[in-house]
Amino acid sequence: MAISRLIIEHFRNLTAVDLEFDHGFNFLVGNNGSGKTSLLESIFYLGHGRSFKSSVTTRIINYDQPHFTLHGRIQEQQHQWSVGLQKLRQGNTIVKINGEDGNKIADLAHLLPMQIITPEGLTLLNGGPSYRRAFLDWGLFHHQPAFHSAWSNLHRLLKQRNAALQQTYDYEHLTVWDDELAKVAHQVSLWRAEYAQALSPEIEQTCCRFLPELEIHVSFHQGWEKETDYSEILRKNFERDKAIGYTMSGPQKADFRFKANGLPVEDVLSRGQLKLLMCALRLAQGEHLMAQKNRHCIFLIDDFASELDETKRALLAERLQRSDSQVFVTAISPDQLYQMQPERYRTFCVNNGIITQSN
Ligand SMILES: Nc1ncnc2c1ncn2[C@@H]1O[C@H](COP(=O)(O)OP(=O)(O)O)[C@@H](O)[C@H]1O
Ligand SMILES: [Mg+2]
């Protein structure tokens, strides 16, 4: 899986960009504010229909324009797709795959598995559980074909239940929703638990290389008491849920926690160690997809050098090179990239929204 060409119009300060990328490494070098992160953000947007930086999409559209447009050519082995995404200031999103309308963001996301590593991405470890659920669910989205519709169902049912909670004093009125909700909740939790278990050895191995000084332990928490039927929890907690106005326990509270030498990583690790652990998780997840499904994901690495000393940069560089994936790396100057010596690469200079290939 690789993006061989990308055309960008009016995405932040990238008003007109047309680039051919290497299927190996692509280095983006430029000063602060030149547009490096915006380029990664545009690739991420094409694969997710949202940004990793702003939740308000209109802020991403170039200040003077009514919309932004992204066109990509994607290649995976012998197959090729042309994909397009346009976002209008009024809010509409148009997705095209091979010229056909009516596609969904999820179709793009299936085509473009990607992992992002940014300085802000430490929230995976020191932010709330939703970041870690998103991490697990990324894996399930790509590994388990039925996951996406079960997940959407789960959220729809929870929303309906929370609305119904406001309107009834009798639990029996909720049992119709709850029977269905419990079924989906068990299924989603089972998939998450299985995936977490399958991924754990890969995470632990990668951590051994990146953070040999620490013993990292991972654990999955489903969001309600272990070994308990979720229907019982819903029934038991009805009064409490009603009082607070939403369903307090369940898969919407699941977490995937990390401990170092028995203590929560966010409490004891340095920022550099947290960054390495985050890199280890994302690499392990990408490589697990490769091992299980023979699909390469794209790695987006923003500000490669930040927080990492020379040895750790070298470790990350070596691992990315071995992944045999398409990688995009940003840096302020070329000397921050000297540990990266891939066989195949292109370097791009980013200057005030203009991007030119320099080798
Ligand atoms: N909607 C927008 N329209 C035009 N320019 C924008 C918009 N949003 C941000 N910018 C500008 O785009 C530039 C690119 O930022 P960024 O990609 O984060 O730079 P870098 O990662 O190279 O430091 C910044 O100067 C920022 O002010
Ligand atoms: Mg940046």
Side-chain angles (χ1 to χ4, degrees), residues 33 36-38 302-303 330:
K36 305 179 298 295
T37 301
S38 301
D302 197 19
D303 215 348
T330 75

Side-chain angles (χ1 to χ4, degrees), residues 136 189-204 218-220 256 288:
L136 284 182
S189 294
L190 181 69
W191 280 331
R192 280 178 176 161
E194 285 171 353
Y195 178 69
Q197 196 179 14
L199 190 61
S200 296
E202 237 141 332
I203 292 178
E204 279 158 18
V218 302
S219 60
F220 170 66
F256 190 43
H288 186 67

Side-chain angles (χ1 to χ4, degrees), residues 27-307:
F27 299 122
L28 302 148
V29 183
N31 291 336
N32 290 330
S34 56
K36 305 179 298 295
T37 301
S38 301
L39 184 86
L40 297 192
E41 194 185 10
S42 72
I43 296 173
F44 186 92
Y45 209 105
L46 196 58
H48 295 80
R50 65 177 170 85
S51 160
F52 59 80
K53 262 182 80 175
S54 310
S55 53
V56 183
T57 300
T58 47
R59 306 230 168 100
I60 299 165
I61 302 170
N62 185 275
Y63 300 134
D64 308 322
Q65 299 294 329
H67 56 74
F68 73 72
T69 313
L70 307 168
H71 281 289
R73 194 168 63 214
I74 302 172
Q75 269 174 301
E76 185 167 32
Q77 287 145 17
Q78 279 74 280
H79 305 284
Q80 189 166 303
W81 294 266
S82 120
V83 298
L85 187 152
Q86 186 172 62
K87 184 87 194 173
L88 282 74
R89 212 170 264 286
Q90 291 93 327
N92 323 25
T93 309
I94 301 161
V95 175
K96 281 192 181 189
I97 299 180
N98 291 336
E100 282 179 29
D101 287 328
N103 287 287
K104 299 197 181 78
I105 302 286
D107 303 322
L108 277 183
H110 267 296
L111 275 180
L112 280 170
M114 58 180 85
Q115 289 286 345
I116 176 125
I117 293 173
T118 67
E120 297 75 32
L122 292 190
T123 45
L124 178 60
L125 299 164
N126 60 16
S130 63
Y131 293 99
R132 291 175 293 280
R133 280 197 297 280
F135 175 81
L136 284 182
D137 291 350
W138 181 94
L140 286 165
F141 179 78
H142 290 289
H143 285 263
Q144 173 55 255
F147 177 76
H148 183 59
S149 88
W151 185 91
S152 308
N153 233 344
L154 174 72
H155 286 267
R156 179 182 55 82
L157 288 164
L158 274 168
K159 225 168 135 184
Q160 285 172 346
R161 181 181 199 266
N162 291 342
L165 272 175
Q166 319 282 330
Q167 287 157 11
T168 184
Y169 288 91
D170 181 358
Y171 181 68
E172 296 315 312
H173 293 152
L174 285 190
T175 50
V176 192
W177 308 109
D178 283 3
D179 288 347
E180 208 184 333
L181 175 59
K183 250 187 255 158
V184 186
H186 277 285
Q187 181 60 75
V188 164
S189 294
L190 181 69
W191 280 331
R192 280 178 176 161
E194 285 171 353
Y195 178 69
Q197 196 179 14
L199 190 61
S200 296
E202 237 141 332
I203 292 178
E204 279 158 18
Q205 263 170 27
T206 315
C207 289
C208 272
R209 287 254 332 117
F210 281 18
L211 295 155
E213 67 277 25
L214 299 169
E215 199 176 309
I216 302 289
H217 182 256
V218 302
S219 60
F220 170 66
H221 302 261
Q222 64 177 356
W224 73 90
E225 289 94 321
K226 260 188 187 168
E227 321 281 337
T228 316
D229 191 83
Y230 187 48
S231 313
E232 275 174 42
I233 297 284
L234 291 170
R235 180 177 286 276
K236 194 177 83 188
N237 292 346
F238 170 66
E239 293 298 339
R240 187 191 65 180
D241 287 352
K242 186 165 171 52
I244 56 172
Y246 61 89
T247 309
M248 204 164 116
S249 301
Q252 73 281 15
K253 295 282 162 164
D255 200 354
F256 190 43
R257 295 191 198 130
F258 305 91
K259 286 192 170 168
N261 302 338
L263 296 167
V265 289
E266 65 277 21
D267 290 344
V268 292
L269 265 55
S270 73
R271 279 187 67 84
Q273 286 174 318
L274 283 174
K275 172 150 178 185
L276 269 173
L277 177 56
M278 186 253 295
C279 294
L281 295 176
R282 300 229 170 262
L283 277 160
Q285 189 169 52
E287 286 173 6
H288 186 67
L289 183 68
M290 170 63 202
Q292 299 295 311
K293 297 272 163 187
N294 196 25
R295 298 202 66 202
H296 286 272
C297 75
I298 296 169
F299 288 99
L300 307 174
I301 322 283
D302 197 19
D303 215 348
F304 165 66
S306 88
E307 317 267 8

